[in-house]
Amino acid sequence: MAIGQAQRGLENGKGQRLARALGWFSHGLGLAQLIAPSDVARLIGIKDDDDNRALLRAIGVREIVPGLAILVRPRPVGWLWARLAGDAMDLALLGAALTSKNVRRDRVAAATAAVVGVTALDVLCATRLRSGRAAVEETAPQDDTRGVEKAITVNRPPEEVYALWRDFENLPRFMLHLESVEVMGDGRSHWKAKAPAGRTVEWDAEIVDDRPNELIAWRSLEGSDVQNSGSVRFNPAPGGRGTEVRVKLQYDPPAGAVGVTVAKLFGEEPNQQLREDVYRFKQVLETGEVVRSEGSLDGARLRQRPAQPPEDATVP
Amino acid sequence: MKATCWMGRNTVQVQEVPDPKILNARDAIVQISSTAICGSDLHLVDGYVPSMVKGDILGHEFMGEVVEVGKGVNNLKVGDRVVVPFPIACGACTACQNEAYSLCENSNPNAWMAEELWGHSTAGIFGYSHLTGGYAGGQAEYARVPFADVGPLKVPDGMTDEQALFLSDILPTGYMGAEMCDIRPGDIVAIWGAGPVGQFAIVSAFLLGAERVIAIDRFPYRLQMAREKAGAETINYEETDVLDALKEMTGGRGPDACIDAAGLEAHGHGAAYAYDRVKQAAKLETDRPTALRQAIMACRNGGTVSIVGVYGGFVDKFPIGSVMNRSLTIKAGQTHVHRYMRPLLERIQNGEIDPTFIITHTLPLEQAPHGYELFKHKQDNCEKVVLKA
Ligand SMILES: NC(=O)c1ccc[n+]([C@@H]2O[C@H](COP(=O)([O-])OP(=O)(O)OC[C@H]3O[C@@H](n4cnc5c(N)ncnc54)[C@H](O)[C@@H]3O)[C@@H](O)[C@H]2O)c1
Ligand SMILES: [Zn+2]
Ligand SMILES: [Zn+2]
């Protein structure tokens, strides 16, 4: 049972990566069809007339919408099927093009072969993700806790890496959803996190395990609105190459409206968020601060601004 | 300030944008005196690199005067004249400590994006899409330079902008391309692409001891420059079958090392080229590896293929059988510019290299769009465009 679950989890991870890649791909194909329908028409060998250009634009929109959705959705099953339907549509159109006049058959055939390849990939991806979702739903009734895990290697000795994390007041420097953490002594701390609509959510936590330079584990106190726990392990990397850091977070979204808020609080995609958090943790340790670009003013961001200096001098 | 912005595929405009500000303690602001247009910029403008955002400031080859430093920068002061390496590197991570600066582990805030496409992220790069950080570029009047205590190199008095500017990218790139060939006495090196990178690869291959260097391109003026200014023999691939010619020129062995200095927009002929164009247009492959395939097929048994031409994503019909069965070594990379700047500056100072020979056009920054046109379409015998801000 446990092994089966783990395996499904693994499959699911792969499926998601594949889905993400397809997202990029969809996006690109769609953009090309939207922006340069004539070029695409010429290249795939369909006559470049108004009808076909409009058609290609329509296909372009069809590609972009699911493409973007696959990129931003944590579990993009529905959208993948939309993509598949889209592929079927492309295939039908290409089939029609093959049998009509005014086409360069060799070119259309090449495009068809390419789409067939992608369709096969889509099917694989959709089935993988669906089985992943089934796995999640199966286990849901017994245990509603969600967990995420990330590992990163930091080019600093374990003592230093442990020390930065052990002072919980440092956490908001690299965990962007946290507003503040106040250490109250006795292993207890008070956490404030940003919630949607400018609200904040607060809870108290206690350290449940603390092994200097090796491990820190904490969990929210009984009765908190937001039940959550976390741990971070520090292991020396082989060959004196710094410290391997493994972070695990679990949270238990309560039912109802609060549940929705809490889920949002941990990000639409907690996995993505933690991945960026550990990366910033490494930046703080190795370079002294979170690295900013014009496109990602406060560190990693899904929604990018143009790579231009910000208007406002008081950034970020 | 004025800046050259990417406004969509094939659209570059000089626009008024806010002046840069210090965002990190180790930043400096540089007032740009000279900047250049690179073959890599063409890949962005032509729409082959994903994750561009409308309004992105382009440019990663630039130099100028320091006008402001963050409180974490102790080695530079206002008034210093510097040339800036195109990869952004922190100097403290494992990659930087191994001098693999273009693989810096901390300088790409959008590392997750690059991880999706490439498995792992690379360093951030100025003006080079959001995959590599979303940093504002240097084809502008000013630029913010992160990790200014690590990257920028002070330019000695008496050295002109034209002599120093290409230390930012293409001179180190040509050099690294040749260095990766592990050149030994008697070696013959073939180079695909006689653009600025190809020209500097020729010069560097000779400096590193190559016996003969053969440059391949289709533009007669570029091949002429390769012959007359860099000392290469040349093949025009529109007139001659490259694989046959290379066998003939190397006594049937093939070149000991082959450098791809053409990259993902390589041009070609015949069915394979048409196939790549279709797949690329439909975004079913991102890159068109015409030159790379040929470089692999041409290389002698046991030889090295060095890739400095840029590839973004995926290619088809890759001759892996040729690589595997014939014991080829492939080396590649965005250039670890920091590693080469100082030694190459010395070679310029003592007259071993004169990098100015590639400059064919010098334009004011306002005319950047015209510069892109000239360089992209290889008009007016354009080899390299320098912009003066
Ligand atoms: N690795 C790095 O860090 C790095 C740095 C700078 C540039 N680059 C890359 O190097 C490449 C060259 O840059 P550039 O500024 O010289 O660009 P460029 O466009 O001036 O030069 C490319 C040359 O390749 C030639 N070419 C195209 N197809 C060919 C083929 N099939 N066979 C032989 N030659 C062919 C073109 O005619 C052109 O002259 C680009 O891909 C660029 O992105 C890489
Ligand atoms: Zn460049
Ligand atoms: Zn680094």
Side-chain angles (χ1 to χ4, degrees), chain B residues 83-85 151 153 167-168 172 337-345:
Chain B
V83 53
V84 179
L153 179 71
L167 289 169
S168 60
V337 176
H338 305 56
R339 197 201 280 173
Y340 301 100
M341 284 177 108
R342 207 172 288 277
L344 287 173
L345 179 110

Side-chain angles (χ1 to χ4, degrees), chain B residues 36-41 59-61 86 125 128 168-170 173 197 310 334 384:
Chain B
I37 304 175
C38 176
S40 304
D41 296 324
H60 56 268
E61 303 180 359
F86 81 81
I125 298 179
Y128 196 70
S168 60
D169 176 354
I170 50 174
T173 297
V197 170
V310 160
Q334 293 281 0
K384 185 74 176 176

Side-chain angles (χ1 to χ4, degrees), chain A residues 16-17 20-21 24-25 28-30 32-33 35-36 39-40 43-44 71 107 110-111 114-115 118 153-156 241 272 275-276 279 282-284 286-297 299-302 304-316, chain B residues 1 5 7 9 15-27 50-51 53-57 90 92-94 97 104-113 115-117 121-122 130-131 133-137 144 146-147 274-275 277-279 281-285 314:
Chain A
Q16 288 201 18
R17 269 204 297 282
R20 208 59 79 55
W24 278 116
F25 158 74
L29 175 55
Q33 289 173 347
I35 297 163
D39 291 353
V40 172
L43 275 167
I44 67 176
L71 282 179
R107 290 187 176 185
V115 172
V118 175
T153 300
V154 179
N155 191 21
R156 287 285 183 277
R241 294 176 200 179
Q272 170 76 11
R275 174 184 190 178
E276 294 169 8
Y279 197 73
K282 175 180 163 81
Q283 287 175 343
V284 169
E286 294 185 358
T287 80
E289 58 186 331
V290 170
V291 178
R292 309 199 148 91
S293 74
E294 285 75 10
S296 285
L297 277 179
R301 269 279 158 264
L302 207 55
Q304 295 283 302
R305 47 186 309 288
Q308 283 188 4
E311 201 65 69
D312 185 359
T314 59
V315 282
Chain B
M1 67 162 181
C5 299
M7 301 305 289
R9 193 168 159 256
Q15 294 195 335
E16 197 62 39
V17 302
D19 286 345
K21 294 155 190 79
I22 302 274
L23 299 177
N24 281 111
R26 292 164 66 188
D27 290 350
S51 80
V53 175
K54 189 173 175 190
D56 284 352
I57 300 177
C90 77
C93 69
T94 306
Q97 289 185 346
C104 175
E105 296 162 21
N106 287 312
S107 60
N108 182 0
N110 300 332
W112 68 272
M113 263 191 230
E115 276 173 19
E116 292 299 338
L117 192 63
S121 177
T122 61
H130 291 252
L131 267 178
Y135 286 98
R144 175 182 75 104
F147 300 117
Y275 169 89
R277 287 300 298 245
V278 170
K279 292 207 78 167
K283 300 285 183 222
L284 295 169
E285 71 179 338
F314 305 93

Side-chain angles (χ1 to χ4, degrees), chain A:
Chain A
M1 166 75 186
I3 291 174
Q5 254 174 14
Q7 215 155 32
R8 272 201 298 274
L10 207 70
E11 288 267 276
N12 195 18
K14 268 195 206 146
Q16 288 201 18
R17 269 204 297 282
L18 202 57
R20 208 59 79 55
L22 279 169
W24 278 116
F25 158 74
S26 236
H27 199 154
L29 175 55
L31 280 178
Q33 289 173 347
L34 199 62
I35 297 163
S38 309
D39 291 353
V40 172
R42 212 170 43 245
L43 275 167
I44 67 176
I46 300 173
K47 191 167 166 241
D48 180 19
D49 59 19
D50 282 352
D51 279 357
N52 276 340
R53 267 197 302 275
L55 193 66
L56 281 171
R57 277 223 175 81
I59 302 175
V61 174
R62 196 275 299 155
E63 283 286 347
I64 285 178
V65 175
L68 280 177
I70 291 170
L71 282 179
V72 298
R73 294 262 154 168
R75 210 170 291 282
V77 180
W79 289 99
L80 257 180
W81 290 109
R83 233 205 85 96
L84 267 178
D87 287 345
M89 174 175 140
D90 282 358
L91 281 174
L93 286 171
L94 287 165
L98 255 183
T99 52
S100 87
K101 290 171 279 178
N102 294 332
V103 295
R104 293 269 320 265
R105 267 154 214 263
D106 51 340
R107 290 187 176 185
V108 177
T112 308
V115 172
V116 172
V118 175
T119 304
L121 202 62
D122 281 356
V123 174
L124 178 73
C125 197
T127 41
R128 265 197 192 161
L129 282 165
R130 219 167 56 133
S131 65
R133 179 190 258 184
V136 171
E137 279 162 3
E138 255 167 44
T139 56
Q142 292 115 308
D143 178 7
D144 205 15
T145 307
R146 312 220 194 144
V148 285
E149 266 185 79
K150 278 288 166 265
I152 198 158
T153 300
V154 179
N155 191 21
R156 287 285 183 277
E159 307 78 63
E160 216 180 297
V161 182
Y162 164 87
L164 187 89
W165 199 295
R166 179 62 182 78
D167 182 355
F168 281 3
E169 299 195 351
N170 283 324
L171 300 187
R173 287 173 71 186
F174 56 90
M175 297 183 126
L176 292 190
H177 70 288
L178 292 178
E179 215 166 86
S180 66
V181 180
E182 197 186 326
V183 174
M184 303 183 304
D186 257 6
R188 297 202 168 188
S189 47
H190 183 71
W191 300 53
K192 263 191 211 166
K194 294 169 197 144
R199 291 181 45 231
T200 51
V201 177
E202 306 186 24
W203 67 90
D204 287 333
E206 63 177 350
I207 289 181
V208 292
D209 200 354
D210 181 11
R211 286 174 245 156
N213 311 333
E214 281 176 29
L215 168 80
I216 310 166
W218 63 94
R219 72 164 169 244
S220 57
L221 292 185
E222 209 63 49
S224 300
D225 272 356
V226 186
Q227 285 298 330
N228 67 92
S229 62
S231 69
V232 52
R233 275 169 200 282
F234 311 93
N235 292 304
R241 294 176 200 179
T243 306
E244 293 173 358
V245 182
R246 291 182 176 80
V247 188
K248 213 187 235 179
L249 299 180
Q250 273 125 348
Y251 61 98
D252 188 359
V258 188
V260 174
T261 313
V262 172
K264 289 225 176 91
L265 174 65
F266 284 88
E268 291 282 323
E269 221 182 323
N271 210 37
Q272 170 76 11
Q273 188 161 300
L274 181 60
R275 174 184 190 178
E276 294 169 8
D277 287 344
V278 297
Y279 197 73
R280 282 186 287 260
F281 176 61
K282 175 180 163 81
Q283 287 175 343
V284 169
L285 274 158
E286 294 185 358
T287 80
E289 58 186 331
V290 170
V291 178
R292 309 199 148 91
S293 74
E294 285 75 10
S296 285
L297 277 179
D298 49 1
R301 269 279 158 264
L302 207 55
R303 272 225 323 278
Q304 295 283 302
R305 47 186 309 288
Q308 283 188 4
E311 201 65 69
D312 185 359
T314 59
V315 282

